[in-house]
Amino acid sequence: MNEPAAMNEYAVNLDSYPAYIYDLAGLEAHAAEIRAALPDTEIFYAAKANPDAEILRTLAPHVDGIEVSSGGELTHVRATLPNSRIAFGGPGKTTEELALAHHLNVDRIHVESPRELSRLPGPASVLLRANLPLKTLDAALTMSGPFGMDEPGLDECAGRIAETPGIDLRGIHVHLASGLDAPAMLDLAAQIRDWALPWLEAHGVNDPELNLGGGMAVDYTSPDTRFDWETYGKGLPESPALRIEPGRALTAYHGWYVTDVLDVKTTRGETYVILRGGTHHLRTPVTKGHDQPFKVLTANDPESRATLVGQLCTPKDVFARDVLVPHLSPGDVIAFTMAGAYAWNISHHDFLMHPKPTFHYRR
Ligand SMILES: *Cc1c(COP(=O)(O)O)cnc(C)c1O
């Protein structure tokens, strides 16, 4: 694994900023740990968290497959990992995407509506995505609304599948919330199982599968507090066949966005540190409404408060507000950590046309 000191040294010696650094050695060790904690559960990595090809290749030996949410992700994952098992989910799949899934040998389709089912070419192995009225404790994001189907929609789909040769109902897919800790996830899993097993049995599904989704908590205010995979693995039931599809909790910890200070100024009593680049390269703090965790690599001893901003002409371009920092000058280097998931790939890169970051992979 890359020791923090080695990452620091690498980051301060880069030729140019901003830059993304992916710690592939750390990612590999983390994925192996998760794999070991969940020996009986299939793990599909949710590519939308970070579809970088090197990340996919690093994860591949430690996961059972990849979950994709669009034809674009599907094409990319199939090209990057030709032999991987793929599950295809997401609302609003087009007829072209469904045909592509068939063509590229997708392992499971997560059907989101009766209309989508009617457009699905066979043969296909299907999980129906259920939108269940379950209690989720303390979720950061609740995935209800347009996702999946309520009981009448599920019943309608099961009825149609029974009349459609080549379409095989294999189980239920659920992704109900994100930001849950292990006990809350287990509580949710038990509720899902209690609902799904009788329903699947009533619809004649033998060897049912449950895909419990992703959403394992990542705490940006406490980078060392990780999701408790041990507890989660020990608490999951042995049957039926279980699959999960984590994204953020797998890759978030293994990316850094590193940049340097361009200017420091105090205006009307507030100190701003202006950094090269901006939240159009790392949108995570804006979308999540948090201070992105960071390390100042070229100075020590936090001594005063400042707001860390980028080069964008908008007051929303804030990485971290009113945080303790050392005395900073132009040229100092800052690494925003926890930038390995929903970071570069969700950002609005073209806004203001700044140079794009360079990408570096530490093995
Ligand atoms: C986004 C998503 C995931 C991954 O969620 P994380 O919070 O990144 O773990 C898994 N499944 C589905 C259906 C999703 O939409």
Side-chain angles (χ1 to χ4, degrees):
M1 195 189 307
N2 278 305
E3 294 306 322
M7 283 284 280
N8 290 1
E9 193 185 322
Y10 185 79
V12 294
N13 287 315
L14 288 169
D15 291 339
S16 68
Y17 301 104
Y20 266 92
I21 308 178
Y22 290 128
D23 173 14
L24 299 182
L27 175 63
E28 170 138 42
H30 188 206
E33 245 172 60
I34 294 171
R35 170 76 287 167
L38 296 158
D40 303 319
T41 301
E42 286 192 344
I43 303 171
F44 274 48
Y45 170 59
K48 83 169 190 280
N50 187 341
D52 185 287
E54 292 297 329
I55 292 215
L56 293 176
R57 285 191 202 103
T58 302
L59 288 173
H62 305 284
V63 298
D64 298 280
I66 308 290
E67 189 257 354
V68 301
S69 303
S70 73
E73 284 187 355
L74 172 54
T75 304
H76 168 68
V77 170
R78 184 47 88 224
T80 308
L81 304 173
N83 302 313
S84 61
R85 288 168 64 200
I86 297 178
F88 184 17
K93 298 182 201 68
T94 64
T95 302
E96 292 75 16
E97 286 176 317
L98 292 169
L100 185 70
H102 186 253
H103 179 64
L104 293 181
N105 220 352
V106 160
D107 203 60
R108 293 288 182 275
I109 304 276
H110 299 160
V111 167
E112 297 254 353
S113 78
R115 181 167 285 114
E116 183 176 295
L117 179 65
S118 70
R119 290 192 282 103
L120 178 66
S125 293
V126 162
L127 302 190
L128 298 177
R129 181 164 181 183
N131 179 342
L132 302 171
L134 305 180
K135 292 188 298 295
T136 46
L137 317 153
D138 304 330
L141 203 68
T142 312
M143 303 290 290
S144 53
F147 307 108
M149 294 170 270
D150 58 11
E151 290 85 341
L154 295 165
D155 287 337
E156 185 180 341
C157 284
R160 284 200 198 175
I161 289 173
E163 294 165 5
T164 315
I167 305 289
D168 198 5
L169 178 56
R170 305 297 285 268
I172 290 287
H173 170 241
V174 178
H175 173 73
L176 290 172
S178 77
L180 300 182
D181 64 11
M185 276 292 208
L186 287 170
D187 178 71
L188 192 58
Q191 294 185 64
I192 292 164
R193 188 169 179 268
D194 287 351
W195 178 86
L197 288 189
W199 188 90
L200 286 164
E201 195 184 344
H203 291 90
V205 177
N206 300 318
D207 304 323
E209 298 172 12
L210 285 189
N211 183 326
L212 299 171
M216 293 72 186
V218 168
D219 186 350
Y220 289 87
T221 65
S222 177
D224 294 328
T225 308
R226 305 283 173 100
F227 184 80
D228 185 352
W229 292 100
E230 286 279 330
T231 297
Y232 186 57
K234 288 204 177 86
L236 283 174
E238 279 175 22
S239 70
L242 290 184
R243 193 173 297 135
I244 57 167
E245 41 187 29
R248 192 186 302 270
L250 262 175
T251 52
Y253 303 99
H254 309 290
W256 286 12
Y257 176 69
V258 188
T259 191
D260 61 337
V261 175
L262 295 175
D263 200 355
V264 181
K265 65 183 181 189
T266 300
T267 310
R268 298 194 191 283
E270 284 214 46
T271 300
Y272 295 91
V273 176
I274 299 165
L275 299 166
R276 195 185 305 272
T279 54
H280 54 327
H281 296 163
L282 174 61
R283 210 178 135 74
T284 326
V286 179
T287 49
K288 295 283 283 180
H290 64 217
D291 292 330
Q292 191 70 22
F294 65 93
K295 310 192 215 189
V296 178
L297 301 179
T298 49
N300 293 311
D301 303 328
E303 55 183 28
S304 57
R305 303 197 82 86
T307 293
L308 308 182
V309 303
Q311 293 176 277
L312 295 182
C313 307
T314 158
K316 294 181 178 174
D317 189 23
V318 176
F319 291 109
R321 193 178 294 283
D322 197 24
V323 287
L324 269 180
V325 289
H327 177 74
L328 289 169
S329 322
D332 274 324
V333 179
I334 292 187
F336 291 97
T337 61
M338 298 181 79
Y342 304 101
W344 168 250
N345 67 309
I346 64 159
S347 303
H348 44 301
H349 315 145
D350 291 330
F351 187 40
L352 260 76
M353 300 177 76
H354 290 120
K356 305 250 154 92
T358 53
F359 284 77
H360 306 265
Y361 301 89
R362 298 280 292 155
R363 290 187 168 79

